Amino acid sequence: MLTVESRPLTAAGHLEIGGCDAVALAAEYGTPLYVLDEGRIRERCRTWRQAFESRYPSVDVEYAGKAFLCLAMARLVDEEGLNLDVASAGELYTALQAGFPPARLVLHGNNKSRLELEMAVGAGVGRIVVDNLAELDLLAGVAATLPAAGRPPQEVLIRVIPGVDPHTHRRIRTGQVDTKFGLSLTSGAALDAVRQAVGTPGLLFTGIHGHVGSNLHDATAHLQALEAMLDFAVAIRDETGLNVEELNLGGGLGVPYLPGESVLPVDRFAAALTEALVEGLAVRHLPQPRLLLEPGRAIVAEAGVTLYTVGAIKDVPVPEAPGTRRYVAVDGGMSDNPRPQLYDAVYTAFLANRAGETPDTEVRIAGKHCETDVLIGSVAVPDPRPGDLLAVPVTGAYTYAMASNYNRLPRPAVVFARDGAARLVVRRETLEDLIRNDA
Amino acid sequence: MLTVESRPLTAAGHLEIGGCDAVALAAEYGTPLYVLDEGRIRERCRTWRQAFESRYPSVDVEYAGKAFLCLAMARLVDEEGLNLDVASAGELYTALQAGFPPARLVLHGNNKSRLELEMAVGAGVGRIVVDNLAELDLLAGVAATLPAAGRPPQEVLIRVIPGVDPHTHRRIRTGQVDTKFGLSLTSGAALDAVRQAVGTPGLLFTGIHGHVGSNLHDATAHLQALEAMLDFAVAIRDETGLNVEELNLGGGLGVPYLPGESVLPVDRFAAALTEALVEGLAVRHLPQPRLLLEPGRAIVAEAGVTLYTVGAIKDVPVPEAPGTRRYVAVDGGMSDNPRPQLYDAVYTAFLANRAGETPDTEVRIAGKHCETDVLIGSVAVPDPRPGDLLAVPVTGAYTYAMASNYNRLPRPAVVFARDGAARLVVRRETLEDLIRNDA
């Protein structure tokens, strides 16, 4: 299985992904191309479920659709028995069009519109995570008709600010005190929201949600947030007499993007969280709530490889040793993967058509945009030639999801590869698509 | 006219843009909405032409389509008599579909594909700016059939690395020595390319191109690049006996994004460049080439306003004085304007529906994405309420052009407003659009 540390090869020395020859995939579907190892995604879904379900009696693992979503992905998540976390009308629409059971959907968002709330309540979305008091008012209006319609009340969780500062890129921190997400524990706003939710006809308060940030390498921040949330559960019990029935710890576990990078395996992550949870509940004399988790990146990132065709190669004199830099340009760039520009994200790469050769040449990988869109600052590959196929692994998350048409580049196709067979799950955009909405 | 310093109001105290009431535009077309003052764009086109044409005998101003392009924009650029700079098959396709005269198109790119070159040569694109030696070989193959077809040879310019380090964000520097763009003057690569172009049937070498970077506030870097390029023109004359007939100084002049920000007016920019050019030519005994310029941002940025609807507002306790931060969430964010995330770009904002009121409340503007997508870190507005219309000026460039569907948000509509009338130039994406290419 392809990982950032190792890669399976075909007899021809090509990268193999999902049992398919990457060179054949590129020939069939063109480049740039997002290839996802479908078996790997499914394996990650099962690993997550198993890691938590084997340790705690009541768990829902919810895939965070923002990382990568399309109809096929929603169906896969359904088949693997995970819930699906959606954060906009568009994500909700995609899930519903895929036939995802609404009761297993969770609606997120710091600024849900009335339309989004109506759409969610109308569809029968299982849970809505309420971010703020204004939203609670809005939702109360939307859900007010449920009892008269003979429908059960809308389950809601209250999103709180755990007040934990995780060590990750500032753009993907969310758990710190100064954040747009959720309600303050210290100011009393979160408790006000719980009281209000409990007293609102059409709403059923079931629990609390906290998310500390993204791409974290260990459980430290999660464990801190857990304690704050358990303390809040005590406050809720003391103030309202109600027990928190659902405890949603959000997502945030990272993946290794580079060889040698160390990220806590999900099994140890689950052990740490469930042990602390059981102990924290016992100490506080709280009953066991249902535990909810929302991995996105950790499900899908490592399953993805982006394939590019190498184009222009040039040696540019630079002041630093060795005096020359070899620029290798590919046929994509920041439009299909903005993460290097957005987060200084680092990736490795190799040649998919010469995957067994020794990486003896230090190069810089650049995109084809009218911008200094360095995809990889420095990476060793076998001396590349125009027409070579460059593979960038660990690109399954936040690539297609964040892709743009900058410089009017059509967005690449997405292919699922599994057991030697490939299927197109998102078609490549055409030039015609670029002006489809022009008047 | 709306500028970052001043804004015209309707009798109702609403923002007026292109003679239209911004509140009425938002009601008709929805939010988020990109509104561009069409008269302002046209005025900028004329100002650029006038500034250079009044000072130098032979000038082409070429609009850099990467900043903002759609069918309507290409037609506007044509009507104003500017050339159009395209940097991909998609930009070229858009221009051709708009009926833009191919002879006034310029094709750019650091990694043009054979397909792009075939498309450009086939369409009769006026100029191709060759970035590297491999591209020159590729283009030679594509253009080889032109003479036999009775067509004139393809005009080419050679892109050089001016070796100038402009003071701008590192992602939009391009003129420095260590860059993916162009050919080195010092290594002899640029001169090799000229020799090769001159000796290639089907190609007509006409000149050289250099671009130093984007959003520069004065002409310093351009003037340095100009000297380097004139020295290179001497080298070309000495080596080949040919005169550089076209000198393309690229784009790069910035705009003020914030009140009080000082950017050299185009008139003074033109004066500085043309004076230095005339003197630099005289000193070197060079004949006057045609001068080409490629403004993008400077044409379109200030004409654009993005309108958002204010949603959730919350006061969050923070450690810093005054102890609370007011978060104001809008219905868009990094998907419609990634520049704050990409370049730490700063913007101001005001309430379009209460544009005459005193901005007495310091707030942070956040987007609606599942990410810490702060649109504006701190700005004073009249105490905002849900439903208010927030206007972010100077968003005409690199917003729609770089927009994504992150969190599956449909991309906003684009409206041109002029003389009190508005017309839709790009329709808002629908939820159906989001799964149009899903298999």
Side-chain angles (χ1 to χ4, degrees):
Chain A
M1 188 171 283
L2 173 67
T3 71
V4 74
E5 305 282 359
S6 71
R7 62 196 69 124
L9 300 189
T10 67
H14 297 168
L15 167 68
E16 187 180 282
I17 176 164
C20 297
D21 183 321
V23 176
L25 293 179
E28 180 171 359
Y29 298 104
T31 59
L33 182 68
Y34 301 113
V35 184
L36 284 96
D37 181 335
E38 184 180 342
R40 184 75 182 277
I41 304 175
R42 292 180 184 275
E43 178 270 315
R44 295 300 290 166
C45 290
R46 291 168 197 179
T47 298
W48 269 82
R49 286 191 57 182
Q50 168 69 16
F52 282 91
E53 291 174 358
S54 66
R55 291 185 169 88
Y56 191 80
S58 175
V59 175
D60 278 337
V61 178
E62 319 192 312
Y63 171 66
K66 62 179 176 158
F68 168 69
L69 194 61
C70 62
L71 294 179
M73 184 64 193
R75 291 187 190 116
L76 182 159
V77 171
D78 181 22
E79 287 162 11
E80 294 299 332
L82 272 65
N83 288 359
L84 179 57
D85 145 11
V86 296
S88 70
E91 290 183 5
L92 174 55
Y93 176 83
T94 303
L96 294 175
Q97 290 294 310
F100 201 97
R104 282 173 35 226
L105 291 174
V106 186
L107 180 66
H108 269 286
N110 67 307
N111 186 26
K112 304 175 190 75
S113 67
R114 184 180 181 92
L115 198 75
E116 285 169 330
L117 293 172
E118 286 174 347
M119 193 174 158
V121 171
V125 158
R127 300 173 174 111
I128 296 179
V129 178
V130 173
D131 178 86
N132 56 75
L133 294 166
E135 181 190 326
L136 201 51
D137 288 337
L138 211 54
L139 181 58
V142 171
T145 57
L146 287 175
R151 288 183 51 193
Q154 175 65 52
E155 289 186 30
V156 296
L157 287 83
I158 300 297
R159 180 161 182 166
V160 305
I161 303 176
V164 173
D165 197 349
H167 296 287
T168 190
H169 193 284
R170 66 192 162 90
R171 302 219 194 282
I172 50 179
R173 289 186 309 163
T174 57
Q176 71 282 5
V177 163
D178 186 1
T179 175
K180 71 169 187 175
F181 290 105
L183 287 156
S184 172
L185 294 174
T186 51
S187 77
L191 194 56
D192 285 347
V194 170
R195 279 200 203 91
Q196 193 175 322
V198 168
T200 301
L203 299 186
L204 178 66
F205 167 75
T206 60
I208 55 179
H209 174 283
H211 177 77
V212 285
S214 281
N215 200 26
L216 306 179
H217 284 44
D218 60 40
T220 311
H222 288 86
L223 292 173
Q224 289 172 11
L226 175 62
E227 295 302 321
M229 291 172 70
L230 289 179
D231 286 345
F232 184 50
V234 172
I236 291 173
R237 184 189 55 193
D238 293 349
E239 287 286 326
T240 69
L242 287 173
N243 282 311
V244 165
E245 291 172 18
E246 300 189 327
L247 185 72
N248 190 328
L249 293 179
L253 187 62
V255 297
Y257 281 92
L258 292 181
E261 200 176 343
S262 171
V263 176
L264 195 66
V266 59
D267 216 55
R268 286 177 50 203
F269 180 74
L273 257 58
T274 53
E275 282 165 24
L277 173 58
V278 169
E279 190 180 316
L281 292 166
V283 167
R284 293 171 180 85
H285 307 292
L286 290 167
Q288 289 195 335
R290 190 167 192 82
L291 175 63
L292 314 182
L293 299 139
E294 300 177 330
R297 187 191 317 264
I299 296 286
V300 81
E302 290 172 282
V305 173
T306 310
L307 301 176
Y308 301 97
T309 299
V310 170
I313 299 172
K314 63 172 82 159
D315 290 328
V316 177
V318 294
E320 303 82 32
T324 296
R325 190 188 305 285
R326 182 160 296 178
Y327 276 87
V328 174
V330 294
D331 53 354
M334 64 184 284
S335 58
D336 59 76
N337 185 357
R339 295 190 69 257
Q341 267 65 37
L342 283 172
Y343 317 113
D344 298 312
V346 286
Y347 289 94
T348 187
F350 55 90
L351 296 183
N353 59 324
R354 297 159 59 195
E357 296 183 27
T358 307
D360 53 7
T361 309
E362 205 70 24
V363 302
R364 172 168 288 182
I365 309 295
K368 71 172 261 145
H369 289 275
C370 286
E371 189 122 352
T372 298
D373 65 331
V374 172
L375 197 60
I376 303 176
S378 185
V379 62
V381 292
D383 190 17
R385 301 181 285 258
D388 275 338
L389 193 64
L390 189 88
V392 181
V394 202
T395 48
Y398 302 105
T399 51
Y400 172 74
M402 291 186 146
S404 76
N405 290 123
Y406 183 44
N407 278 131
R408 295 182 92 72
L409 261 57
R411 284 176 289 194
V414 186
V415 164
F416 274 9
R418 184 189 189 190
D419 297 337
R423 60 184 173 120
L424 190 67
V425 299
V426 183
R427 279 181 290 273
R428 184 177 302 280
E429 284 183 325
T430 62
L431 295 180
E432 292 75 18
D433 282 336
L434 298 172
I435 59 167
R436 186 185 294 280
N437 285 319
D438 282 22
Chain B
M1 187 172 281
L2 173 68
T3 72
V4 74
E5 305 283 357
S6 72
R7 61 195 71 123
L9 302 189
T10 67
H14 298 168
L15 167 69
E16 186 180 283
I17 177 165
C20 297
D21 183 321
V23 176
L25 293 179
E28 180 170 359
Y29 298 104
T31 60
L33 182 68
Y34 301 114
V35 184
L36 285 96
D37 180 335
E38 185 181 342
R40 184 75 184 276
I41 304 176
R42 292 181 185 274
E43 179 269 316
R44 294 302 289 166
C45 290
R46 290 167 199 179
T47 297
W48 269 83
R49 286 191 58 184
Q50 169 70 14
F52 282 91
E53 290 174 358
S54 66
R55 291 184 168 88
Y56 191 79
S58 173
V59 174
D60 278 338
V61 178
E62 320 191 312
Y63 171 66
K66 62 179 175 161
F68 168 69
L69 194 61
C70 63
L71 294 178
M73 184 64 193
R75 292 186 192 116
L76 182 158
V77 171
D78 181 22
E79 288 161 11
E80 293 299 332
L82 272 65
N83 287 357
L84 179 58
D85 145 12
V86 295
S88 71
E91 291 184 3
L92 174 56
Y93 175 82
T94 303
L96 295 175
Q97 290 294 309
F100 201 97
R104 282 171 38 225
L105 291 173
V106 187
L107 180 67
H108 270 285
N110 68 307
N111 186 25
K112 303 175 191 77
S113 67
R114 185 181 181 92
L115 199 74
E116 285 171 328
L117 293 172
E118 285 173 349
M119 193 174 159
V121 171
V125 158
R127 299 174 175 109
I128 295 179
V129 178
V130 173
D131 178 86
N132 56 75
L133 293 166
E135 181 190 329
L136 201 50
D137 288 338
L138 210 54
L139 181 57
V142 172
T145 56
L146 287 176
R151 287 184 51 193
Q154 175 64 53
E155 289 186 30
V156 296
L157 286 83
I158 301 297
R159 178 159 184 168
V160 303
I161 303 175
V164 173
D165 198 350
H167 297 288
T168 191
H169 194 284
R170 66 193 162 89
R171 301 220 195 282
I172 50 178
R173 287 186 311 163
T174 58
Q176 72 282 6
V177 162
D178 187 1
T179 174
K180 71 170 186 174
F181 290 106
L183 288 156
S184 172
L185 294 174
T186 51
S187 77
L191 195 56
D192 285 347
V194 172
R195 280 199 202 92
Q196 193 176 323
V198 169
T200 300
L203 298 187
L204 177 66
F205 167 75
T206 61
I208 56 179
H209 174 283
H211 177 78
V212 285
S214 281
N215 201 26
L216 306 179
H217 284 43
D218 60 39
T220 312
H222 288 86
L223 293 173
Q224 290 172 7
L226 175 62
E227 295 301 321
M229 290 172 72
L230 290 179
D231 286 345
F232 184 49
V234 171
I236 291 172
R237 184 188 57 191
D238 292 350
E239 287 286 326
T240 69
L242 287 173
N243 283 310
V244 164
E245 290 171 20
E246 300 188 327
L247 185 71
N248 190 328
L249 294 179
L253 187 62
V255 297
Y257 280 92
L258 293 181
E261 200 176 342
S262 171
V263 176
L264 195 66
V266 59
D267 216 54
R268 285 176 53 200
F269 181 73
L273 257 57
T274 53
E275 281 164 26
L277 173 57
V278 169
E279 189 179 316
L281 293 166
V283 167
R284 293 170 180 86
H285 308 291
L286 290 167
Q288 288 194 336
R290 191 168 192 81
L291 175 62
L292 313 181
L293 298 140
E294 298 178 330
R297 187 191 316 265
I299 296 287
V300 81
E302 291 172 282
V305 173
T306 309
L307 300 177
Y308 301 96
T309 300
V310 169
I313 298 172
K314 65 172 81 157
D315 289 330
V316 177
V318 296
E320 304 81 30
T324 296
R325 190 188 302 286
R326 181 160 297 178
Y327 276 86
V328 174
V330 295
D331 54 355
M334 65 183 284
S335 58
D336 60 74
N337 185 357
R339 296 191 68 256
Q341 268 64 36
L342 282 172
Y343 317 115
D344 298 312
V346 286
Y347 289 94
T348 186
F350 55 91
L351 296 184
N353 59 324
R354 298 158 60 195
E357 296 183 27
T358 306
D360 53 8
T361 310
E362 206 69 25
V363 302
R364 172 167 288 182
I365 309 295
K368 72 173 260 144
H369 290 276
C370 287
E371 187 121 355
T372 298
D373 65 331
V374 172
L375 197 59
I376 303 177
S378 184
V379 63
V381 291
D383 192 17
R385 302 182 283 260
D388 275 338
L389 193 64
L390 188 88
V392 181
V394 202
T395 49
Y398 302 106
T399 51
Y400 172 74
M402 290 185 147
S404 76
N405 290 122
Y406 183 44
N407 277 132
R408 295 183 92 73
L409 261 56
R411 285 175 289 193
V414 186
V415 163
F416 274 9
R418 186 189 187 190
D419 296 338
R423 61 185 173 118
L424 190 68
V425 299
V426 183
R427 278 181 289 272
R428 182 177 304 279
E429 284 184 323
T430 62
L431 294 181
E432 292 76 16
D433 282 336
L434 298 172
I435 59 167
R436 186 185 294 281
N437 285 318
D438 281 22

